[in-house]
Amino acid sequence: MSQTPKKVVVTGAAGQIAYSLLWRIANGDVYGKDVPVELKLLEIPAAVKATEGVAMELLDSAFPLVKNIDITDDANVAFEGANAAFLVGAKPRGKGEERSALLQANGKIFGPQGKAINDHAAEDVRVLVVGNPANTNALIAMSAAKDVPNERFNAMMRLDHNRSLSQLATKLGKDSADFENMVVWGNHSATQFPDITYATVGGEKVSELVDQEWYLNEFVPRVAKRGAEIIEVRGKSSAASAASSAIDHMHDWINGTSAWASAAVPGTGAYGVPEGILAGQPTIAENGEWKIVEGLDISEFQAERIAANVKELLEERAAVENAGLL
Ligand code: NAD
Ligand code: LMR
């Protein structure tokens, strides 16, 4: 364990997602069990005391990999030398609200953080935006970080991906780990498109194992509205599952994937996703970079669903542009 510690920033460190996420990072679930970490906890001033309590509990957990814990309400301090950043700190929606309703309140958090990342983070920084609406918040942060390559900014679609795998595994009586080539396209919103066109399980095509009626009328809305269902049933937005998916995303980004994952990465023009938005796409990670899976045949139905997401993301972009946040 003689390596230089990796500096990992978690914003919203006193919140409910961080309360699960920090323990997984401390356990070595992002960089590996032999890589020490320094945790940098960013919060608003009113939550700094609560963050001190979180740090006390982290210390009490005696993780051998944790070499230091810093707490701050200053983004310029938090992102100094950061190798990985989980941008979680933002308001969650309430019952009956869409995530896009958070755009004005939360959007303003991400410009200053993007600028601080630009000015202070390490050269290899990777930024995963979790705070909602995640895709457009990631765009705001990415746009403020002019000197950081765009592809270092992602928004999280992995929770939607994992929800898809779990729903399919339950329906078909299989293990979630046995599914390949699942993708959730688009926005982390109710418009998202969980797509089983290419998915297989044990070498069989998933689309031939489930009927179309179940796929379209139960599976797709169940996955796309799962966040709202959790809020309804649990009374609070998803937290441990969000943290677990954030770990999956960052771990795979750094260490590589064996199967496709869904990640919201900057558009390249492929599959009708233009530059200037971040959308969920089929990705694999190699050598520390996400690569969009190329050359897939797209049906008219798929193209329509992807286009609906692109339209929504362009509308969100226009809204934050009008609000002066871009
Ligand atoms: P929470 O309210 O429990 O915690 C959020 C924390 O962020 C609070 O402690 C708050 O003080 C802090 N915060 C606010 N502004 C900040 C800033 N400028 N800098 C640093 N910290 C700041 O919320 P939560 O349940 O942890 O959820 C956080 C966000 O993640 C919400 O926007 C929620 O909707 C989103 N979320 C996204 C996904 C996803 O799949 N992308 C999944 C679940 C939740
Ligand atoms: C989720 O998908 O669980 C999160 O985005 C929280 C929410 O508001 O739905």
Side-chain angles (χ1 to χ4, degrees):
M1 223 203 277
S2 58
Q3 296 194 42
T4 310
K6 298 291 183 186
K7 292 189 166 72
V8 183
V9 179
V10 174
T11 75
Q16 46 156 8
I17 293 176
Y19 200 57
S20 177
L21 181 64
L22 285 164
W23 269 257
R24 296 285 306 277
I25 299 166
N27 194 45
D29 293 350
V30 171
Y31 280 99
K33 304 283 185 196
D34 54 350
V35 182
V37 290
E38 287 182 18
L39 299 173
K40 318 272 251 168
L41 312 185
L42 180 65
E43 258 295 352
I44 55 171
V48 163
K49 180 152 186 275
T51 311
E52 283 166 5
V54 172
M56 286 162 67
E57 281 203 75
L58 276 165
L59 291 175
D60 291 351
S61 305
F63 285 108
L65 292 175
V66 176
K67 296 302 167 201
N68 193 35
I69 305 176
D70 285 327
I71 299 165
T72 179
D73 59 10
D74 182 344
N76 292 314
V77 173
F79 291 110
E80 184 63 49
N83 303 107
F86 293 87
L87 305 193
V88 178
K91 192 173 170 273
R93 64 173 162 160
K95 279 187 192 177
E97 254 183 330
E98 287 303 322
R99 296 181 187 92
S100 55
L102 301 168
L103 209 46
Q104 305 296 337
N106 285 347
K108 58 178 186 290
I109 295 172
F110 292 85
Q113 290 184 358
K115 177 79 170 62
I117 288 168
N118 188 72
D119 294 349
H120 299 284
E123 217 168 301
D124 70 344
V125 69
R126 291 179 178 82
V127 183
L128 175 62
V129 176
V130 174
N132 277 318
N135 302 55
T136 298
N137 287 338
L139 174 65
I140 294 170
M142 181 181 96
S143 304
K146 303 276 178 230
D147 307 323
V148 179
N150 284 349
E151 61 270 18
R152 299 297 183 73
F153 286 82
N154 291 177
M156 189 161 88
M157 297 297 289
R158 189 60 172 262
L159 180 54
D160 311 288
H161 185 96
N162 287 344
R163 286 168 172 165
S164 301
L165 297 182
S166 160
Q167 292 294 326
L168 290 172
T170 305
K171 174 79 176 168
L172 296 172
K174 309 274 187 190
D175 286 345
S176 55
D178 293 340
F179 289 83
E180 288 186 32
N181 301 359
M182 177 69 211
V183 53
V184 184
W185 301 89
N187 199 3
H188 177 62
S189 75
T191 308
Q192 66 181 253
F193 173 34
D195 184 3
I196 61 166
T197 306
Y198 320 101
T200 60
V201 58
E204 289 185 276
K205 283 193 71 120
V206 170
S207 58
E208 290 170 6
L209 299 175
V210 298
D211 65 74
Q212 188 72 354
E213 206 278 325
W214 176 82
Y215 169 57
L216 285 180
N217 298 328
E218 288 191 44
F219 173 80
V220 170
R222 166 56 64 86
V223 172
K225 295 183 183 162
R226 185 65 160 185
E229 189 184 358
I230 299 285
I231 292 171
E232 190 57 44
V233 177
R234 186 177 175 261
K236 288 182 188 161
S237 78
S238 66
S241 57
S244 187
S245 297
I247 293 286
D248 288 347
H249 181 123
M250 192 66 89
H251 170 273
D252 287 358
W253 194 358
I254 292 163
N255 299 290
T257 48
S258 49
W260 293 10
S262 304
V265 295
T268 59
Y271 305 117
V273 181
E275 287 182 19
I277 57 173
L278 290 93
Q281 297 176 72
T283 51
I284 53 164
E286 268 173 14
N287 303 321
E289 288 178 17
W290 289 114
K291 295 194 170 57
I292 297 168
V293 177
E294 289 178 354
L296 299 171
D297 286 333
I298 299 285
S299 68
E300 207 174 306
F301 167 71
Q302 288 174 291
E304 273 170 21
R305 292 280 174 134
I306 296 167
N309 277 278
V310 168
K311 179 171 175 287
E312 186 176 79
L313 286 164
L314 289 172
E315 285 165 3
E316 286 186 15
R317 183 175 81 179
V320 293
E321 253 164 1
N322 287 339
L325 298 174
L326 263 188

